[in-house]
Amino acid sequence: MFSLNVHHRSTKAKIVLNTMVTTFSAYCKSKFEVEPVEVIYPDGKSYFYPDLSFYDMEVPLSYITGLVGVSLKTEEILMNNKSAEFDELDKVLEHAFDMDNDDEEEDNDDKEDDDGDEEENDNEGEEDEGKHPLKSDEVDVSGVQLYEQFNHLEYQALADKKRKALSDTNLEEPGKRARQDNISGASFDEIMEAMNYGIRRKSHQSKKRGRRKGSKNKHSPEITRMLGDAVVHHVHGRYEESISVLKEVVRLAPQVHEAYHTLGLVHKALGNTGKAMGFYAIAARLKPKDSSLWRVLYTWHLEQGDLARASMCLSKAIRADPNDIDLRYSHASLYIELGDYQRAAELFDQIVKICPQDGKALKAAAELYFHTGQIERGLNILEDYIKDHPMEVDLTVLDLQASLFMEINAYNNALQHIEHACLVFYSGEELPLQLKIKAGICHIHLGNLEKAEILLGGLQLEAVSSYSDLITEVADAYMSLKCCHSALKYYHMLKPHVGDKKVGYIQSRIAECYLSLEEREKAIMFFYKALDGLEDSVGTRLTLASMMLEDAKEEEAISLLSPPENLGPVDSGCENQKPWWLDGKIKLKLCYIYRAKGMLEDFVNTTFPLVRESLFVKTIRPKVKKRLTLSVLRKRTKILDIGDGVDVFGGVRPLASRSDLSKAARARKLLQKKEEQKAAAKAAGIDFHSDESDDDCWQEVIRLPPLPNFLENEEHHVLIIDLCKALQSLRKYWEALEIISLTRRLANDKLPAEKLDELQSLVNQISYNITDPKYGFDCVRSIVVQHPYSFSAWNCYYRIMSRLGKSYSKHAKFLRYMRAKHSESAPPLVISGHQFTMGSHHQDAAREYLEAYKLLPESPLINLCVGTALINLALGFRLQNKHQCVAQGLAFLYNNLRLTANSQEALYNIARAYHHVGLVSMAVSYYQKVLATCEKDYPVPKLLDESTNPTENLKPGYCDLRKEAAHNLHLIYKKSGALDLARQVLKDHCSF
């Protein structure tokens, strides 16, 4: 075991503290220094932290020899203690790492140049760390063979050195041995330093920057001579001889970058540009600090349209020569071409830091930050420039700063800036016109109209023509303060001096001024003129349509908002080119017009798709699949198609936004999936037929609702209810139920209670009329649960159940549940009796009716039901006491007659009962009483949530039973042979 001096680490906390302190100390002003702090614990003991003291640590011999790469026995070290051996080992290690010294120097230089430099592409780090700069797949003289040969030569030289060092050590005389120092002395420190260097460990001691003295590799005289010969051959046009010599140079010394550079020149002279660029790439990798090589590669990749590799080469060139401003300008321009304004602005900002007096880069950075929305950052750049370089400030800088202040509505700051510029830069001179106009705009926004008029009063027509955008801002500023007369003056001044694209905007602003001044005729005239130039302006159309409605010109308003006639097919899914008539606001305005005029069909046809789409997108399917052609997919994948034909060091990351890269990756997957399906079908010997045609594929896209935040407006709640009512009136029940279901799912907690009740009422009404009564069962069941003793609620339930039939299992379970829970409720008993009656189970029906009679003995309906059930039961074959049963049934019917105050209906029911059991003489007397009674019409009870009146479609006399009684009476007369009486009864009561 050996003892080494290392930093003391007693606890994990000390380890973390020491690591952080030593790491961050490299970035301090006084590097590798730390101020200790005394910490006093509760027990009175005090310690100083960080504790960077040394202590002895024992390590096995195999640990050291394994890291150093030598094989020594313990006896050789302890008994001989040859210091010369350790010195020789140190020389061996130094020679072994000489090949990396240039890279170390470059890494150190890069650390100094990192401030202000841009980050490299993600895969560049992988190239530098994981791939040798000579590794190539396509260049003739380079490639894997040269790389392996280079490594073999390097390791062979290292092995020879080690063998020579060991042999020399064994041949030394004892008298020439080194001094007997402690084993933990300087020699071991040197060994540990070499070990740490070889495995890339950080040392706790400060390292000297730069290359070690005398460690730079120099070419041998033979290599130098051969390089000179190759250059001479190249100059005299003997290219084959030059290539032959250079190949030999590469074989002997593959790390010499001059050979690859000259090979690139030779192949370029031969016209082999691609191969020449490959050699240039190898040379640039071997000598990354030569910016000229990276410049050549950048120019060539840019000409080839390979922007990703061009950007990578440009980044390398900037890293090699960070003070080259032209390179940084080219890099920023490249990102502007790609549309990455944020990155371009940062690059221009770096140029400003390197060259503070560069006004061009400063203005470009400020403008690009403005485009990216970072206006305050752009202002800070301009303010620092004006403060530090007042003599180099020109009008463009002052104008740009004023514009940025005005963009963030800091008009007071902009005005102060302009006034300061007038005093400092234009003392005794007239302020430039653009600054004067902007000062006037600031005064308008600040309410200083008199000062604004003083500044703007002397504008000439030439100024209006040259600064039309600024004059438009002046007019808009007056318009924002409702100073319509002043705004009109400038708008009319602008009309002759603006282009066709802006005439429509000026016309619409003039119309708004006249509208504010209540000059409606002029406003309408200018709105129509504005539509000629702004056909797709939704706001102009809506304003003009509202004015038409105020003037009671509904038809003209509808024509303004309706789509043009003879329309061709329109792709409504393309958001960038969506026509004005597909805008949600236009459709919504049309909906209100149709509703106000009572045009139900037009109202439904316009409103239903709009409301359904808005609810449907937000609730069920926020993403839809859009059909994309294969040509579009292949176009998207071109972003990822960066060839490796010239770059021998692998690919680079494409220059594109994350969204574009994601789209390209999805497109590639779709194409690969289609190719795999075709290949599988071909291998199986069958014809491939996909669900989609060969010209298209599907891809998910985001679909936006036509009316965002639709359910947050109370007016829209009313629109939904009106739409459902209109759909119900037009008997489009399923459409209405769909709208109600989507609304409940999305905004059940947002709608007021009265709106929810109204929607529930609509559901109940619709459920009575739809063809599938199962949908209404859940609705009426919920109503009955809420109102278990309500006859109206049970009538709704029975109406649905009568359409479902007795075989519906849910009904029987629910009825048993309600009877068990609400034993004092008569309607479930009556409904059970009705179902038994329909099944001709009169005894069971009579039992249920009698149970209900116990609960409501004075109910005319229950007495009638009990009486009819007993009469029907008496006609059965198995009943023995038929006479008693008939008497009991008639007793209940007479009780019904008493409860209804001798009503015509009760008399008719008794007559029918006598007629039914064969007592025709009694039946004739009661039929005659019915004929003698005149019954008036009375309102039919409405069902719960029923909006329409059941008697609306009935003719007068719908409650009169005399025709029915006359018909039955004539049957009795006819059967008894009294034909004359039968004809007379029909003539008196049944003729029309």
Side-chain angles (χ1 to χ4, degrees):
M1 305 298 286
F2 291 89
S3 131
L4 300 176
N5 285 337
V6 297
H7 291 293
H8 177 61
R9 300 177 177 90
S10 59
T11 63
K12 294 182 179 179
K14 290 182 180 180
I15 294 173
V16 174
L17 178 62
N18 294 344
T19 303
M20 294 181 64
V21 167
T22 54
T23 302
F24 285 106
S25 65
Y27 302 97
C28 297
K29 186 175 181 180
S30 299
K31 295 187 177 181
F32 308 110
E33 293 183 5
V34 60
E35 180 180 352
V37 177
E38 183 182 6
V39 178
I40 301 175
Y41 287 90
D43 58 359
K45 295 182 180 180
S46 65
Y47 299 91
F48 285 91
Y49 292 101
D51 184 5
L52 300 176
S53 59
F54 291 88
Y55 79 105
D56 292 339
M57 183 179 72
E58 294 182 351
V59 294
L61 175 63
S62 60
Y63 177 77
I64 299 176
T65 58
L67 292 176
V68 177
V70 297
S71 177
L72 295 174
K73 297 182 179 179
T74 307
E75 293 78 12
E76 293 177 329
I77 298 175
L78 295 177
M79 295 178 64
N80 299 328
N81 195 17
K82 300 174 181 178
S83 61
E85 179 178 331
F86 295 111
D87 295 336
E88 188 65 21
L89 286 176
D90 188 55
K91 293 178 182 179
V92 170
L93 290 172
E94 180 179 355
H95 176 77
F97 297 120
D98 271 347
M99 302 302 296
D100 290 330
N101 281 337
D102 290 338
D103 291 339
E104 180 184 6
E105 179 192 13
E106 290 162 9
D107 291 339
N108 291 333
D109 293 340
D110 289 343
K111 290 180 181 178
E112 296 175 357
D113 298 333
D114 276 344
D115 293 337
D117 285 348
E118 64 280 5
E119 295 179 357
E120 293 293 327
N121 292 328
D122 295 340
N123 57 353
E124 291 176 17
E126 297 172 4
E127 294 171 6
D128 294 338
E129 295 174 6
K131 186 177 291 187
H132 193 277
L134 296 178
K135 189 173 182 180
S136 169
D137 295 332
E138 298 187 25
V139 183
D140 294 342
V141 297
S142 59
V144 179
Q145 293 82 4
L146 292 179
Y147 176 50
E148 292 177 351
Q149 183 180 6
F150 174 68
N151 281 341
H152 175 71
L153 292 173
E154 182 180 357
Y155 289 123
Q156 186 175 2
L158 180 60
D160 292 341
K161 270 286 189 180
K162 290 180 180 178
R163 284 194 293 270
K164 184 177 182 299
L166 293 175
S167 62
D168 292 344
T169 304
N170 293 329
L171 293 175
E172 285 185 351
E173 296 180 2
K176 295 183 179 180
R177 292 178 184 176
R179 65 187 183 278
Q180 300 292 329
D181 291 339
N182 192 332
I183 197 67
S184 60
S187 60
F188 260 106
D189 290 341
E190 293 173 2
I191 292 176
M192 289 301 297
E193 180 181 358
M195 289 162 47
N196 290 334
Y197 177 81
I199 61 174
R200 301 297 186 189
R201 291 182 178 175
K202 288 188 176 180
S203 173
H204 293 282
Q205 299 176 359
S206 61
K207 295 181 180 180
K208 295 182 179 179
R209 293 182 177 271
R211 185 186 297 109
R212 293 184 182 180
K213 185 176 181 180
S215 65
K216 181 174 178 62
N217 295 325
K218 297 180 180 179
H219 306 322
S220 65
E222 182 183 2
I223 296 298
T224 304
R225 180 186 58 78
M226 294 175 70
L227 288 173
D229 293 343
V231 172
V232 172
H233 288 314
H234 169 241
V235 171
H236 289 86
R238 297 189 294 271
Y239 301 122
E240 296 300 331
E241 291 85 344
S242 179
I243 291 175
S244 178
V245 172
L246 291 170
K247 285 183 177 180
E248 183 64 20
V249 173
V250 170
R251 187 183 69 81
L252 296 175
Q255 75 277 14
V256 177
H257 74 277
E258 289 92 341
Y260 299 101
H261 189 184
T262 309
L263 277 170
L265 294 174
V266 173
H267 281 287
K268 187 175 182 181
L270 291 172
N272 301 329
T273 309
K275 190 173 288 187
M277 292 303 117
F279 286 113
Y280 277 138
I282 297 175
R285 295 281 179 170
L286 288 173
K287 193 176 182 183
K289 288 299 180 182
D290 190 350
S291 64
S292 61
L293 295 173
W294 294 115
R295 279 176 179 270
V296 174
L297 291 170
Y298 157 70
T299 304
W300 187 79
H301 284 305
L302 193 62
E303 291 174 355
Q304 298 296 315
D306 191 349
L307 299 181
R309 287 191 175 86
S311 177
M312 183 268 292
C313 293
L314 199 54
S315 299
K316 297 281 190 181
I318 293 173
R319 182 166 293 229
D321 189 2
N323 294 322
D324 193 329
I325 302 301
D326 293 335
L327 290 175
R328 295 181 180 272
Y329 266 106
S330 300
H331 207 184
S333 301
L334 183 62
Y335 277 106
I336 291 175
E337 183 179 351
L338 293 171
D340 191 348
Y341 298 117
Q342 175 66 30
R343 186 68 175 144
E346 292 173 356
L347 291 174
F348 278 121
D349 199 0
Q350 293 172 8
I351 295 174
V352 173
K353 292 179 180 179
I354 297 173
C355 187
Q357 68 275 9
D358 193 338
K360 181 180 177 182
L362 177 132
K363 287 183 286 186
E367 290 177 354
L368 289 170
Y369 280 130
F370 167 72
H371 282 295
T372 57
Q374 303 178 58
I375 300 176
E376 294 184 358
R377 190 169 180 180
L379 282 171
N380 293 334
I381 294 175
L382 292 174
E383 289 176 354
D384 293 341
Y385 180 77
I386 295 172
K387 180 181 179 181
D388 298 336
H389 304 85
M391 303 304 296
E392 299 175 7
V393 175
D394 57 4
L395 177 60
T396 57
V397 175
L398 298 174
D399 184 63
L400 179 59
Q401 187 181 26
S403 299
L404 294 181
F405 274 123
M406 294 172 65
E407 188 67 28
I408 59 175
N409 299 327
Y411 299 108
N412 196 17
N413 292 342
L415 194 58
Q416 292 176 2
H417 156 71
I418 294 173
E419 292 174 353
H420 178 266
C422 181
L423 294 175
V424 176
F425 302 104
Y426 298 98
S427 179
E429 300 178 10
E430 186 178 359
L431 196 66
L433 188 57
Q434 58 263 46
L435 291 181
K436 186 185 293 186
I437 296 174
K438 289 183 177 180
I441 295 172
C442 293
H443 279 299
I444 294 172
H445 283 288
L446 294 174
N448 305 324
L449 301 182
E450 295 181 358
K451 292 183 180 180
E453 285 297 328
I454 294 173
L455 290 170
L456 302 172
L459 289 178
Q460 303 296 326
L461 293 179
E462 294 80 4
V464 175
S465 179
S466 302
Y467 302 102
S468 59
D469 292 337
L470 288 177
I471 302 302
T472 304
E473 289 187 31
V474 171
D476 291 343
Y478 275 119
M479 187 65 187
S480 64
L481 295 180
K482 303 299 181 182
C483 299
C484 300
H485 291 290
S486 299
L488 278 174
K489 181 180 72 173
Y490 289 101
Y491 283 133
H492 283 298
M493 189 185 301
L494 281 167
K495 277 197 304 181
H497 302 284
V498 293
D500 296 335
K501 294 183 178 179
K502 205 168 182 180
V503 169
Y505 172 77
I506 299 299
Q507 301 281 13
S508 65
R509 298 296 287 173
I510 292 174
E512 291 175 9
C513 289
Y514 282 123
L515 184 61
S516 298
L517 295 173
E518 298 183 357
E519 299 184 22
R520 296 179 62 85
E521 294 182 359
K522 290 183 179 181
I524 292 173
M525 178 183 67
F526 277 101
F527 272 128
Y528 272 112
K529 289 182 179 180
L531 284 179
D532 295 337
L534 298 174
E535 187 177 2
D536 294 333
S537 176
V538 174
T540 303
R541 286 187 179 274
L542 291 175
T543 304
L544 187 55
S546 299
M547 296 179 68
M548 294 296 103
L549 292 175
E550 292 174 3
D551 295 340
K553 297 179 181 179
E554 290 86 358
E555 297 298 332
E556 193 169 350
I558 292 174
S559 64
L560 278 171
L561 302 176
S562 300
E565 298 179 357
N566 303 324
L567 272 178
V570 178
D571 184 11
S572 61
C574 184
E575 295 294 333
N576 295 331
Q577 300 178 353
K578 186 170 68 172
W580 60 266
W581 59 85
L582 294 179
D583 188 86
K585 295 179 181 179
I586 295 288
K587 291 186 175 182
L588 194 61
K589 189 71 174 180
L590 269 176
C591 296
Y592 291 142
I593 296 174
Y594 288 140
R595 182 181 64 178
K597 293 193 67 176
M599 304 166 65
L600 287 184
E601 291 189 4
D602 293 326
F603 172 69
V604 168
N605 293 336
T606 305
T607 312
F608 177 71
L610 183 68
V611 174
R612 182 184 180 278
E613 180 75 7
S614 299
L615 298 175
F616 188 70
V617 169
K618 295 186 68 174
T619 54
I620 300 177
R621 296 180 62 188
K623 288 186 178 181
V624 296
K625 286 191 174 182
K626 180 182 179 181
R627 190 179 291 271
L628 297 176
T629 60
L630 291 179
S631 60
V632 173
L633 295 179
R634 294 190 183 99
K635 184 178 180 181
R636 290 185 176 182
T637 56
K638 284 184 179 179
I639 299 175
L640 305 176
D641 295 338
I642 300 178
D644 297 333
V646 176
D647 192 349
V648 298
F649 303 102
V652 296
R653 181 178 179 179
L655 282 181
S657 62
R658 290 184 178 180
S659 60
D660 291 339
L661 289 176
S662 178
K663 289 180 181 178
R666 289 196 299 266
R668 175 175 285 185
K669 287 182 180 179
L670 288 173
L671 292 176
Q672 290 175 352
K673 182 179 179 182
K674 202 171 188 66
E675 292 299 328
E676 291 173 359
Q677 291 175 351
K678 287 184 179 180
K682 186 176 181 180
I686 58 176
D687 295 333
F688 175 72
H689 297 287
S690 63
D691 295 336
E692 302 88 20
S693 66
D694 290 338
D695 295 330
D696 50 44
C697 284
W698 294 93
Q699 185 175 6
E700 284 191 350
V701 295
I702 301 297
R703 196 168 82 183
L704 299 176
L707 294 176
N709 303 323
F710 180 60
L711 291 174
E712 296 181 2
N713 191 343
E714 187 176 354
E715 189 176 1
H716 294 164
H717 301 165
V718 178
L719 180 65
I720 291 175
I721 293 175
D722 291 342
L723 173 62
C724 295
K725 291 180 178 178
L727 289 169
Q728 182 189 11
S729 301
L730 297 175
R731 297 188 177 182
K732 296 182 178 182
Y733 302 122
W734 289 111
E735 290 85 347
L737 289 175
E738 181 183 12
I739 296 296
I740 295 173
S741 176
L742 290 174
T743 304
R744 281 177 162 181
R745 185 180 306 178
L746 186 63
N748 195 37
D749 55 342
K750 296 180 181 179
L751 291 174
E754 59 273 11
K755 301 298 180 185
L756 290 174
D757 293 341
E758 199 165 355
L759 288 176
Q760 180 62 48
S761 176
L762 287 172
V763 171
N764 298 336
Q765 297 171 26
I766 293 172
S767 62
Y768 304 146
N769 302 308
I770 57 178
T771 56
D772 186 6
K774 293 180 181 179
Y775 186 88
F777 176 77
D778 294 332
C779 299
V780 294
R781 182 174 62 179
S782 63
I783 296 175
V784 169
V785 170
Q786 295 175 5
H787 310 283
Y789 297 97
S790 171
F791 279 86
S792 180
W794 282 102
N795 284 337
C796 296
Y797 178 83
Y798 185 69
R799 182 171 179 176
I800 296 295
M801 291 313 307
S802 61
R803 296 173 60 193
L804 284 172
K806 64 180 181 179
S807 60
Y808 192 61
S809 60
K810 289 185 178 181
H811 161 65
K813 294 179 182 178
F814 177 70
L815 207 60
R816 286 196 299 270
Y817 166 76
M818 292 301 294
R819 289 181 62 176
K821 186 174 182 180
H822 305 282
S823 58
E824 296 182 357
S825 178
L829 300 172
V830 176
I831 292 176
S832 297
H834 289 348
Q835 288 185 322
F836 283 127
T837 300
M838 288 188 293
S840 298
H841 300 288
H842 301 296
Q843 186 173 2
D844 296 327
R847 183 182 65 250
E848 297 293 334
Y849 288 142
L850 287 172
E851 290 292 332
Y853 176 78
K854 294 178 181 178
L855 298 175
L856 297 174
E858 297 299 318
S859 172
L861 174 63
I862 294 178
N863 280 274
L864 175 63
C865 291
V866 174
T868 55
L870 292 174
I871 296 294
N872 289 325
L873 180 62
L875 298 178
F877 295 105
R878 297 179 181 179
L879 190 66
Q880 296 180 357
N881 53 346
K882 294 183 179 181
H883 297 289
Q884 181 181 0
C885 188
V886 169
Q888 291 175 347
L890 289 174
F892 280 100
L893 291 178
Y894 277 104
N895 196 26
N896 175 56
L897 178 64
R898 176 184 63 81
L899 294 174
T900 58
N902 298 323
S903 65
Q904 186 188 58
E905 180 183 1
L907 293 171
Y908 179 80
N909 288 329
I910 293 174
R912 281 291 296 128
Y914 280 125
H915 192 180
H916 195 52
V917 298
L919 300 175
V920 292
S921 59
M922 297 295 296
V924 168
S925 64
Y926 277 95
Y927 279 136
Q928 290 176 347
K929 290 181 180 179
V930 172
L931 294 176
T933 305
C934 182
E935 189 75 21
K936 296 181 180 180
D937 293 336
Y938 51 86
V940 178
K942 292 171 58 176
L943 295 175
L944 188 66
D945 297 319
E946 190 173 18
S947 59
T948 58
N949 189 355
T951 63
E952 287 181 356
N953 300 322
L954 298 177
K955 295 181 180 179
Y958 59 85
C959 291
D960 194 357
L961 297 175
R962 286 181 293 181
K963 292 181 180 180
E964 288 79 1
H967 175 75
N968 292 338
L969 184 59
H970 116 275
L971 292 176
I972 294 174
Y973 286 151
K974 184 178 180 180
K975 187 175 182 180
S976 63
L979 299 179
D980 293 336
L981 288 174
R983 283 195 291 270
Q984 187 63 39
V985 170
L986 289 177
K987 181 179 178 180
D988 292 341
H989 301 283
C990 295
S991 59
F992 298 95

